[in-house]
Amino acid sequence: MSNQNKEIPYKIYLEEAELPKQWYNVRADMKHKPAPLLNPDTLQPMTEKDLSVVFCEELVKQELDNTTPYIDIPDEIRNFYKMYRPAPLVRAYCLEEKLQTPAKIYYKFEGNNTSGSHKLNSAIAQAYYAKKQGLKGVTTETGAGQWGTALSMACSYLGLDCQVYMVKCSYEQKPFRREVMRTYGASVTPSPSDTTEIGRKILKEHPGTSGSLGCAISEAVERATQQEGYRYVLGSVLNQVLLHQTIIGLETKTALDKYGIQPDMIIGCAGGGSNLGGLISPFMGEKLRGEKDYQIIAVEPASCPSFTRGKFVYDFCDTGMVTPLQKMYTLGSGFIPSANHAGGLRYHGMSSILSQLYHDGLMEARSVEQTSVFEAAVQFARVEGILPAPESAHAIRVAMDEALKCKETGEEKTIVFGLTGTGYFDMYAYEKFNNGQMSDYIPTEEDLAAGFAGIPKFPGNEI
């Protein structure tokens, strides 16, 4: 009997033995490599030595490696992965039925761990390399809190100190996620704070600010460089993070191949790019090598539209302008999403890998408004039984839209999307939606111009 005739279960679970043994580095197959990180003082490419002041040595090697296609996953990390992986690939039979669509919908569910999201895949890797280097601890930033939660779990497991700067509005709106971090032994500081020079400067310039991810990054980097035996770790955007997250796409591909399933489109939400990059990398590799073709769609919020309305230039990764310059689609490091924005994905820029792939026309991007995102989230929760993270609901929105298009055309497309995590700590946003108090905000050209004005000006970096 051919694979095509096999009945496809609701959940495709892989055996532990099928857990990938290597991460996949999509840069090895990219004809146009992502542009190098630049030193903001000299405008020269950052060297291993430069980056090792801020990041762990092994992670710096992974960050700069443009040529090795597969990188071994250390046994200690694989053993930790087994605690919550392999993650299921779910056939959304109930959603298909509800939408009355001929499309076949699958989602990769990353919410089977306490952090509630995919972030643990990279957190354990980064904590492992910090421990191996003999460090005392790490500092980081977190927005909604998934990354901080994941890192606190990884650090507590390995006995590392974990210091988290949490965007102030999230610190106040998501006290439960903050308490999960503290339960795992992390210290959590609302950002901007008076514990750093950059935090004090931002508070002085913007009293009462609700903070931003870029601002929290600046504080975390400053703290890391001022404490002996500490390094800074980041939950998205960087090449090394996308590398660790390819565990998502590799498992997805293995599960689909088991049943001879060929996806037509792969959809992921995009903030900094870690889950989207992780999900699409193995499929993008096939596309880059000319083996197969897929429609790949990045979905971002209309209120923070770095792909669809940003500029492809070198920019700072943080508000305090202390990080290296990265070439990416960006809204400017000073861009702060509107205070009414509750759906996550608040970062001003996008991974340099994804930015280059998008620039080369290998994937597309769509922006969606948050009320329609939450409508999709609620519909999904009622039908598929999982309360999705608001971030994931961006991908759900477009997956449902595409499935409804199939209903009109009669096409039986196979749609795969990433369900990056659960929304149980995001009830403040759901409450606003349920009360009819959620509004949409789309930045005006003037709003965007203010962010673009902060993009560094040097020869070759014209907007």
Side-chain angles (χ1 to χ4, degrees):
M1 189 171 91
S2 77
N3 280 344
Q4 273 73 7
N5 297 332
K6 268 193 202 172
E7 192 172 325
I8 294 163
Y10 270 79
K11 287 189 175 70
I12 303 173
Y13 279 106
L14 302 179
E15 302 287 328
E16 271 182 19
E18 294 172 292
L19 194 71
K21 293 184 171 62
Q22 295 172 309
W23 294 301
Y24 166 60
N25 181 9
V26 71
R27 286 169 285 161
D29 287 314
M30 287 172 68
K31 288 169 191 62
H32 302 136
K33 308 292 185 198
L37 292 168
L38 297 185
N39 182 316
D41 298 325
T42 64
L43 299 181
Q44 293 304 304
M46 296 287 284
T47 62
E48 249 184 71
K49 191 179 168 197
D50 293 335
L51 289 167
S52 294
V53 178
V54 178
F55 300 110
C56 305
E57 286 154 20
E58 193 60 39
L59 293 167
V60 170
K61 289 193 179 85
Q62 292 178 1
E63 184 62 33
L64 299 176
D65 188 335
N66 274 340
T67 52
T68 314
Y70 288 94
I71 292 171
D72 289 343
I73 303 174
D75 286 343
E76 294 91 334
I77 297 175
R78 277 189 89 236
N79 289 338
F80 184 91
Y81 279 162
K82 285 175 187 170
M83 187 169 66
Y84 64 101
R85 308 201 70 87
L89 179 69
V90 185
R91 172 76 182 267
Y93 281 115
C94 298
L95 184 62
E96 290 171 21
E97 173 64 29
K98 207 70 169 174
L99 297 176
Q100 289 289 293
T101 176
K104 296 171 179 66
I105 308 170
Y106 294 85
Y107 56 89
K108 181 68 165 167
F109 181 49
E110 289 290 314
N112 280 339
N113 67 76
T114 299
S115 74
S117 83
H118 68 292
K119 297 285 188 178
L120 197 53
N121 301 330
S122 184
I124 188 59
Q126 295 192 51
Y128 167 79
Y129 291 121
K131 180 79 173 175
K132 204 175 159 199
Q133 197 175 316
L135 298 175
K136 287 182 205 163
V138 291
T139 70
T140 198
E141 77 297 322
T142 196
Q146 289 99 327
W147 168 246
T149 311
L151 189 67
S152 66
M153 289 175 72
C155 286
S156 69
Y157 185 77
L158 293 166
L160 285 169
D161 182 38
C162 179
Q163 300 174 2
V164 182
Y165 282 86
M166 188 172 185
V167 176
K168 189 175 282 174
C169 64
S170 292
Y171 182 93
E172 289 160 0
Q173 290 174 11
K174 300 179 195 248
F176 298 136
R177 207 170 256 141
R178 178 185 78 214
E179 290 313 312
V180 176
M181 289 184 243
R182 292 181 61 211
T183 301
Y184 278 97
S187 64
V188 189
T189 307
S191 169
S193 74
D194 59 8
T195 64
T196 65
E197 205 175 306
I198 198 81
R200 290 188 287 274
K201 182 170 177 272
I202 291 169
L203 283 171
K204 194 176 172 191
E205 287 171 15
H206 305 279
T209 177
S210 59
S212 73
L213 217 44
C215 159
I217 292 171
S218 303
E219 291 205 90
V221 171
E222 183 182 317
R223 284 294 286 156
T225 52
Q226 291 183 350
Q227 295 175 94
E228 188 66 39
Y230 281 74
R231 290 292 184 279
Y232 165 72
V233 295
L234 180 62
S236 190
V237 182
L238 292 174
N239 296 338
Q240 40 164 308
V241 182
L242 267 70
L243 175 75
H244 305 147
Q245 293 297 356
T246 58
I247 191 90
I248 304 171
L250 292 162
E251 282 186 11
T252 304
K253 196 160 179 348
T254 303
L256 291 168
D257 289 350
K258 266 193 153 176
Y259 287 87
I261 302 160
Q262 173 76 17
D264 295 295
M265 57 178 68
I266 300 152
I267 302 169
C269 62
S274 68
N275 88 83
L276 176 70
L279 175 66
I280 70 171
S281 280
F283 302 97
M284 184 61 82
E286 290 184 315
K287 194 164 168 155
L288 289 163
R289 295 187 300 271
E291 295 163 8
K292 284 183 184 163
D293 196 17
Y294 304 99
Q295 184 182 5
I296 295 172
I297 306 171
V299 190
E300 63 183 9
S303 56
C304 197
S306 41
F307 263 146
T308 50
R309 295 177 70 193
K311 308 285 186 192
F312 187 43
V313 289
Y314 270 107
D315 193 14
F316 288 97
C317 297
D318 67 316
T319 309
M321 303 185 185
V322 296
T323 55
L325 296 171
Q326 176 166 275
K327 189 165 188 188
M328 58 183 171
Y329 278 88
T330 177
L331 298 168
S333 63
F335 180 84
I336 295 179
S338 145
N340 84 334
H341 176 62
L345 309 176
R346 304 172 63 91
Y347 189 58
H348 66 271
M350 193 60 68
S351 141
S352 63
I353 293 175
L354 295 178
S355 292
Q356 188 64 54
L357 291 168
Y358 177 63
H359 195 69
D360 290 344
L362 290 154
M363 53 188 267
E364 58 191 85
R366 304 203 190 150
S367 69
V368 285
E369 292 166 29
Q370 71 175 357
T371 49
S372 76
V373 165
F374 277 85
E375 278 163 18
V378 168
Q379 200 172 345
F380 182 86
R382 290 176 182 180
V383 174
E384 284 289 320
I386 295 169
L387 185 76
E391 293 84 355
S392 313
H394 289 71
I396 295 171
R397 173 74 274 164
V398 170
M400 284 171 56
D401 290 347
E402 289 297 327
L404 290 169
K405 278 186 204 167
C406 290
K407 185 178 177 176
E408 286 171 26
T409 63
E411 291 172 285
E412 287 187 32
K413 285 188 177 173
T414 297
I415 300 167
V416 175
F417 73 87
L419 181 53
T420 52
T422 51
Y424 303 113
F425 291 130
D426 301 289
M427 298 321 295
Y428 178 85
Y430 275 101
E431 180 186 29
K432 277 178 83 172
F433 177 76
N434 292 333
N435 288 345
Q437 295 164 336
M438 182 172 280
S439 57
D440 290 317
Y441 176 75
I442 299 177
T444 62
E445 292 303 319
E446 288 74 19
D447 293 335
L448 294 182
F452 295 147
I455 289 171
K457 292 170 179 60
F458 56 89
N461 202 47
E462 283 72 32
I463 294 175

